[in-house]
Amino acid sequence: MTDFALQPRPAPPDPEDGRPTGATAGPVSGDAPGLVTLAPGACRGPQARPARRLALDWGPPLLLYGVACALQLGLLALLRQPGSPELGRVLLGWDARLFLDVAQHGYPAPGAPRDLSGAWLGSNLAFFPVFPAAIRLVHLATGASFGDAALAVSRVAGAVAVVLLYQLFGRLYDRRTGLFMVLLTVAQPMAVVLGMGYSEAVFLACAVGALLAAHRERWPAAAAWGVLAGLTRPSGLAVGAAVALAAWLTIHQRKPWVRPLVSALVACSATPGYLLWVGLRTGRADGWFRIQQAGWGTALDWGAHSWDYVTDQLTGGTGWVDVSIALLVLAALGGSLLALLWRPWPPLALYGLLVTALAIGQSDYSSCKPRLLVPALLFLLPGAVALARARGRVAWPVAGAALLAGSWYGAYLLGVWQSVI
């Protein structure tokens, strides 16, 4: 079992500060905060050319990301049904329209959203502000339509996310593992959402940025990424918790404690801060939760709804898509538990478990579960390590098949099934 261990191996010192960096498969190089390469043959020393370093750090993940984007869009265009909305409208459906409304018009005026009978209603206050703010900024800076700005923000955020993923898992394991982690992230069944008018791509970039900065012990950067993640999605709570755990591990090693502690507190404050703001705006401390329940039937039920859905589908499914969603939920749980058997870096493990728990532990549309699991990452780790250690003639065909299958699945759900995701 130790041959397949997911636990990071001992690392050489960071060339910047002499501190351990995590597992490596070769010499450590690079001097840009948060962008470190870990592989034999990487550029080192004062003679290293910045352009070559950037090519090594950014080229492989961006190439995979570009292939995945092209494949997803091509399959979506191929599977689009006659008379169905055009491709751009498909990518801006469902919740994307609500993000665009916030970007264009801002949040509703203060006061609880209620109907004439006094019952609570859904409201755009349920949607966190970073993604719509980025949409508006791009619109103002470029003159692009709000829809085009939303798609551009998601695509750019997805590109940032894969570069940071490559760096993080390169530090924790090796460059090859980082590359396969990128591939599996963009190949998972609903990775198409990383190019839609949804906030998953922005959240993934911020979450991985916070984890990478915390692993490098760059605490101001970890706090900044953590705040952005916490103001992007409710699962920003998981990012704050991961930064806090990384800070505790640092302090436990009797290192300077002020910066880690302050950064952890700042990173953990963003999501509760937004929930408090919504509470003040609606006049109820639980205003955000009431809006979620009224508008989307979403509430924390500790997985009861997900359990009922999975058991119902596996004992008498209503269709292959519903059965596949149940299987994907089980795969995410199983993959996360499998990863834990080999003790990954604790902040990564905590982050992945919390994102998975928040996705599965709430009552909402079951068809949304695969999308909500996209940023969880932990359940993909066993597959990434296995592919990295397999021979190339085995690993790349398997990875290519996974990319094709995942891209087709997402395109089918958007273009043919056309239910809410």
Side-chain angles (χ1 to χ4, degrees):
M1 183 172 293
T2 54
D3 290 340
F4 190 66
L6 302 186
Q7 189 176 6
R9 299 184 293 275
D14 189 317
E16 292 184 16
D17 53 21
R19 292 196 296 265
T21 63
T24 66
V28 180
S29 70
D31 55 7
L35 293 176
V36 178
T37 55
L38 309 161
C43 303
R44 293 186 296 159
Q47 292 79 23
R49 296 179 180 179
R52 188 180 175 194
R53 286 205 304 270
L54 286 178
L56 289 171
D57 291 344
W58 295 17
L62 288 178
L63 177 61
L64 285 179
Y65 180 64
V67 170
C69 291
L71 186 58
Q72 290 162 0
L73 291 175
L75 288 172
L76 186 56
L78 183 65
L79 295 177
R80 178 173 167 264
Q81 301 297 294
S84 62
E86 59 185 15
L87 189 58
R89 293 186 61 187
V90 172
L91 297 174
L92 293 171
W94 299 298
D95 287 358
R97 294 192 291 267
L98 299 173
F99 280 117
L100 292 177
D101 186 65
V102 176
Q104 289 179 267
H105 308 295
Y107 289 110
R114 300 175 185 267
D115 61 18
L116 295 178
S117 68
W120 281 71
L121 298 170
S123 166
N124 290 347
L125 289 167
F127 294 86
F128 282 52
V130 164
F131 183 49
I135 294 171
R136 185 169 186 84
L137 181 62
V138 171
H139 165 73
L140 294 175
T142 66
S145 69
F146 282 98
D148 289 342
L151 297 179
V153 169
S154 283
R155 285 300 182 196
V156 171
V160 172
V162 297
V163 170
L164 295 176
L165 267 174
Y166 187 51
Q167 296 301 311
L168 175 63
F169 285 89
R171 288 179 64 83
L172 292 174
Y173 301 97
D174 52 55
R175 182 187 290 267
R176 187 174 168 88
T177 303
L179 193 61
F180 279 109
M181 191 67 190
V182 168
L183 193 151
L184 292 182
T185 298
V186 299
Q188 58 183 305
M190 282 311 299
V192 66
V193 76
L194 298 178
M196 296 179 63
Y198 277 66
S199 60
E200 269 75 15
V202 174
F203 176 74
L204 180 62
C206 295
V208 179
L211 290 168
L212 178 60
H215 193 265
R216 287 183 56 83
E217 298 182 14
R218 301 295 187 257
W219 298 112
W225 283 115
V227 167
L228 290 174
L231 295 177
T232 301
R233 294 193 60 80
S235 41
L237 289 169
V239 180
V243 172
L245 179 56
W248 182 85
L249 293 173
T250 298
I251 295 170
H252 187 65
Q253 296 170 6
R254 301 183 182 279
K255 295 181 179 180
W257 58 271
V258 175
R259 281 194 173 189
L261 179 60
V262 172
S263 297
L265 292 174
V266 171
C268 289
S269 68
T271 300
Y274 180 71
L275 299 181
L276 176 62
W277 180 80
V278 174
L280 294 173
R281 199 168 182 86
T282 60
R284 288 286 305 247
D286 61 347
W288 185 84
F289 299 94
R290 284 179 171 265
I291 289 169
Q292 284 281 85
Q293 177 70 55
W296 295 270
T298 301
L300 186 64
D301 66 354
W302 308 105
H305 179 268
S306 296
W307 171 261
D308 290 341
Y309 178 81
V310 169
T311 54
D312 287 346
Q313 295 306 318
L314 296 185
T315 56
T318 56
W320 79 266
V321 172
D322 293 298
V323 173
S324 71
I325 291 171
L327 291 174
L328 289 173
V329 169
L330 291 178
L333 288 172
S336 298
L337 294 176
L338 183 61
L340 292 179
L341 292 178
W342 288 278
R343 298 187 301 169
W345 183 46
L348 172 65
L350 179 61
Y351 163 79
L353 289 175
L354 288 178
V355 172
T356 302
L358 289 171
I360 298 175
Q362 59 184 350
S363 61
D364 56 7
Y365 296 106
S366 298
S367 55
C368 295
K369 300 298 184 187
R371 168 178 67 84
L372 297 174
L373 288 166
V374 165
L377 298 180
L378 182 64
F379 68 92
L380 300 173
L381 182 56
V385 173
L387 289 171
R389 297 188 178 186
R391 293 183 181 274
R393 64 175 179 267
V394 174
W396 288 109
V398 170
L403 178 59
L404 180 61
S407 300
W408 174 85
Y409 185 91
Y412 183 91
L413 261 61
L414 290 181
V416 180
W417 195 53
Q418 297 183 357
S419 183
V420 64
I421 62 163

